[in-house]
Amino acid sequence: MLEKALVGTKRYWTWVFFLFAVIGIGFITYLQQFKLGLGITGLSRDVSWGLYIGQFTFLVGVAASAVMLVIPYYLHDFKKFGKIVILGEFLAVSAVTMCILFIFVDMGQPMRIMNVMLHPTPNSIMFWDSVVLGGYLVLNIIIGWATLHADKKGVSPAPWVKPLIYLSIPWAVSIHTVTAFLYAGLPGRHFWLSAVMAARFLASAFAGGPALLIILALIVRKFTKFDPGKEPIQAIGKIVTYAMVANVFLLLLEVFTAVYSNIPGHMHPFKYLYLGLEGHGKLVPLMWTSSILAIVSLILLIFPVLRKDENILALACIALFTSLWIDKGFGLVIGGFVPNPFERVMEYWPTLPEALITIGVWAIGFLVLTVLYKVAVSVREETEGVELEH
Amino acid sequence: MSMDRRDFLKLAGLSTVGIGAGWVLSRPGDILEASQFLQTKELLHAKQWAMVVDIRKFKTAEDYKKVIDACHRVHNVPDLGNPKDEVKWIWSDSFEHAFPGQESEYMPQEMKHKQFVLLCNHCENPPCVRVCPTKATFKRKDGITMQDLHRCIGCRYCMAACPFGARSFNYRDPRPFVKEPNAEYPTRMIGVVEKCTFCEERLAKGLMPACVESSNGALIFGDITDLNSEVRKVLADNYTIRRKSELGTRPSVYYILDIPGGDRNA
Ligand code: SF4
Ligand code: SF4
Ligand code: SF4
């Protein structure tokens, strides 16, 4: 079926070549990082994880969010998701691909990546994270491919696909829980040492991922003959709304515990992020942008009259996605490192090479997504009108 | 779909065998000790090496410089000249930063700003070892928290996990920044994490750590499980504190405070 990605309109090829160009720039910059070391990034002795690990964390959420379509469709027989569920599964494939790449570019000795498997260490959360992420990638490739293949032939997928689909549901929850555990079990990192971390991760994932999916579905509808349908998009809109409410609620719980307890270690990271600490406040404008976008998106989403208008829904989704991207793809990681273990404020800001590499990885993700969506859309365009059954 | 049911089952079966084999390999212990722990005839033995820093004996800037230089010189610790990429094994910082949360507005100002010697605590329950995905950081039988720099993948998880800021990452090639390289000790490559090793290479030769040796008795080193060791005697006779002991990592570095006016109350 991959051959379907090799035929396309001029617009399709322009987009693909544009992505290749961005990837090329990122790759050349990465070669420089490979040679000179992570010193070319803004990372330091004090803030030793930054943009790369932030993107990784955020994208694990996007990957996990595919279950928000899989559950209604396969467990509750919500037939309306029939056309769109494949878009969710392929989005997960693209997101996990980016996750793996972000881990790779963050490593000081990337050529030794296999050491994680050669010396498996069950007491390390990072070991489990690589196991569950790898498994999730394989699961989604198999499921997506098998269901699409069946659609093409107009038959139901082979019987062994169903158990894999059911397995993918707890698996999706596991990838984001384990990723939260990377942070939530570290002594002395007060900002991360929170029992609601995994819950917050899941809530933000189930808001951000489906929001991105709505945007993608609208783009697909605009540029191809494949229409995911109005109703499924509205249904996803509801999911996004509930998840975002839960996410903001959980964030406020964190703020309450930190501020009302008045324990300095718990308060300082919040102060640094939202008010600035000891005269340092590089992240303050960003964090408030995130907060304002979150409020805007909630207002647009909560009122059904507004949400029903697809343009407003799209706007709400863009605001929400950006808000979560700042909060989780950046603030969350930095907040754990500032102030440092000596109660000193050492700030972090990504450098240009770091940004170029980050954009390059996103471009690879978009390329994977474009190719997979192209295949899916081509198959669906051929079988237009055929009732889907699986 | 190019993978049929049989192929898939084959793949699943193979991966199960792979995971099983991995599990067996994952048992640490003797295999690890043999490959990552230099065992010599002269090796000094202990169950848990520990250090006591007698801060009363650090008076002039020279006292600090002496021990810091001793370490950084023999271990080829680079001087990168900027705090961002900095690599350090032993350094000093004021009381309020070494023991955040313990300071008070009204405490003697000399104490508040008194410099403390800081290094890896070789914690008995080290989070850096717990999180390392490759066992590149591991606990030796003598209590030293050690790294295998040829195994480290540079993920920096251990740096996030260490609550003492004891670990440094080689953000740049350190070699050009080692002023007078010591040919007897390895230099490091780009992209790995390093820190104080309690001078395991010297213990293997029956010697005390370099900083201890150059400290004129201000640093005391020994086996904390041995009742007759000097560290135990010093700990029994003096009031000591440890950094962030509330976190449960059980640091093995103790500090005897210089309590101004302490004599008056005696
Ligand atoms: S001080 Fe830090 S690096 Fe040293 S053993 Fe303890 S946790 Fe590990
Ligand atoms: S940076 Fe190296 S020593 Fe630290 S956790 Fe990663 S592999 Fe282990
Ligand atoms: S014990 Fe050795 S390695 Fe550690 S600080 Fe002292 S001299 Fe350096």
Side-chain angles (χ1 to χ4, degrees), chain A residues 28-148:
Chain A
I28 292 167
T29 318
Y30 178 71
L31 289 181
Q32 200 196 355
Q33 180 189 298
F34 188 80
K35 193 160 151 263
L36 299 175
L38 282 155
I40 71 165
T41 67
L43 296 169
S44 63
R45 201 179 183 282
D46 295 291
V47 184
S48 44
W49 281 343
L51 193 56
Y52 297 152
I53 294 294
Q55 302 305 292
F56 158 78
T57 309
F58 179 73
L59 287 164
V60 174
V62 173
S65 72
V67 296
M68 281 300 149
L69 302 183
V70 171
I71 293 177
Y73 183 61
Y74 288 103
L75 292 189
H76 299 283
D77 213 23
F78 187 69
K79 287 272 182 274
K80 301 216 171 71
F81 277 175
K83 287 173 160 184
I84 208 169
V85 77
I86 186 81
L87 298 186
E89 283 156 355
F90 281 164
L91 176 60
V93 171
S94 144
V96 181
T97 309
M98 285 190 266
C99 288
I100 292 170
L101 286 170
F102 273 118
I103 289 289
F104 189 81
V105 300
D106 186 69
M107 287 172 62
Q109 284 287 337
M111 302 319 278
R112 299 183 186 165
I113 193 161
M114 286 320 289
N115 280 3
V116 178
M117 292 299 143
L118 291 174
H119 308 286
T121 312
N123 47 281
S124 171
I125 300 293
M126 199 175 275
F127 165 72
W128 290 110
D129 213 22
S130 58
V131 170
V132 291
L133 273 177
Y136 192 67
L137 179 63
V138 174
L139 265 181
N140 273 287
I141 292 178
I142 295 178
I143 294 170
W145 214 247
T147 48
L148 194 60

Side-chain angles (χ1 to χ4, degrees), chain A residues 93-382:
Chain A
V93 171
S94 144
V96 181
T97 309
M98 285 190 266
C99 288
I100 292 170
L101 286 170
F102 273 118
I103 289 289
F104 189 81
V105 300
D106 186 69
M107 287 172 62
Q109 284 287 337
M111 302 319 278
R112 299 183 186 165
I113 193 161
M114 286 320 289
N115 280 3
V116 178
M117 292 299 143
L118 291 174
H119 308 286
T121 312
N123 47 281
S124 171
I125 300 293
M126 199 175 275
F127 165 72
W128 290 110
D129 213 22
S130 58
V131 170
V132 291
L133 273 177
Y136 192 67
L137 179 63
V138 174
L139 265 181
N140 273 287
I141 292 178
I142 295 178
I143 294 170
W145 214 247
T147 48
L148 194 60
H149 198 71
D151 285 355
K152 191 171 168 231
K153 291 194 181 152
V155 297
S156 1
W160 54 263
V161 180
K162 263 277 162 67
L164 289 186
I165 291 171
Y166 293 145
L167 178 65
S168 79
I169 295 170
W171 204 293
V173 176
S174 84
I175 60 170
H176 220 24
T177 306
V178 175
T179 304
F181 286 176
L182 276 182
Y183 297 98
L186 303 180
R189 301 278 175 200
H190 305 294
F191 188 60
W192 297 336
L193 195 78
S194 159
V196 300
M197 184 69 104
R200 210 180 128 199
F201 268 30
L202 286 167
S204 68
F206 295 161
L212 177 60
L213 201 69
I214 290 180
I215 301 168
L216 292 173
L218 292 175
I219 293 174
V220 166
R221 179 201 284 159
K222 188 148 195 258
F223 289 101
T224 73
K225 277 188 272 157
F226 173 62
D227 182 5
K230 263 194 171 350
E231 272 182 74
I233 288 182
Q234 284 300 324
I236 301 174
K238 272 184 215 145
I239 295 174
V240 172
T241 310
Y242 279 114
M244 188 59 178
V245 170
N247 175 55
V248 171
F249 177 65
L250 289 167
L251 175 66
L252 292 175
L253 294 186
E254 298 269 26
V255 173
F256 172 80
T257 305
V259 173
Y260 195 77
S261 71
N262 249 271
I263 298 173
H266 291 269
M267 254 189 332
H268 285 164
F270 281 100
K271 256 197 177 154
Y272 170 68
L273 290 177
Y274 291 96
L275 301 171
L277 194 62
E278 293 169 19
H280 300 279
K282 268 191 191 158
L283 263 61
V284 175
L286 263 186
M287 295 314 286
W288 282 106
T289 308
S290 168
S291 307
I292 291 165
L293 287 175
I295 294 168
V296 168
S297 70
L298 274 182
I299 294 173
L300 297 181
L301 285 170
I302 285 177
F303 300 103
V305 263
L306 297 176
R307 191 172 70 214
K308 287 228 168 74
D309 181 331
E310 272 186 1
N311 291 322
I312 295 182
L313 181 64
L315 208 68
C317 287
I318 293 170
L320 182 146
F321 188 78
T322 316
S323 163
L324 291 180
W325 181 81
I326 296 172
D327 182 42
K328 203 166 159 193
F330 203 66
L332 176 102
V333 178
I334 313 308
F337 289 108
V338 184
N340 72 5
F342 306 95
E343 284 290 322
R344 284 181 198 277
V345 180
M346 297 293 205
E347 295 202 276
Y348 159 86
W349 196 255
T351 59
L352 179 66
E354 200 174 357
L356 291 177
I357 293 171
T358 303
I359 295 169
V361 173
W362 273 93
I364 295 177
F366 274 116
L367 184 67
V368 171
L369 191 72
T370 306
V371 167
L372 291 176
Y373 274 22
K374 176 75 174 55
V375 173
V377 166
S378 307
V379 168
R380 287 292 150 83
E381 279 173 348
E382 280 170 18

Side-chain angles (χ1 to χ4, degrees), chain B residues 155-211:
Chain B
C155 66
R156 308 188 298 295
Y157 197 9
C158 52
M159 292 177 82
C162 170
F164 304 101
R167 311 180 72 96
S168 306
F169 180 71
N170 285 286
Y171 282 103
R172 300 186 178 278
D173 180 6
R175 284 165 190 142
F177 298 95
V178 180
K179 278 192 205 92
E180 302 155 33
N182 168 14
E184 282 172 24
Y185 197 81
T187 52
R188 269 77 66 192
M189 68 283 273
I190 217 165
V192 293
V193 169
E194 61 180 72
K195 62 164 191 72
C196 154
T197 64
F198 259 179
C199 283
E200 57 93 30
E201 84 287 359
R202 291 172 59 92
L203 297 175
K205 290 189 202 145
L207 298 169
M208 283 282 113
C211 57

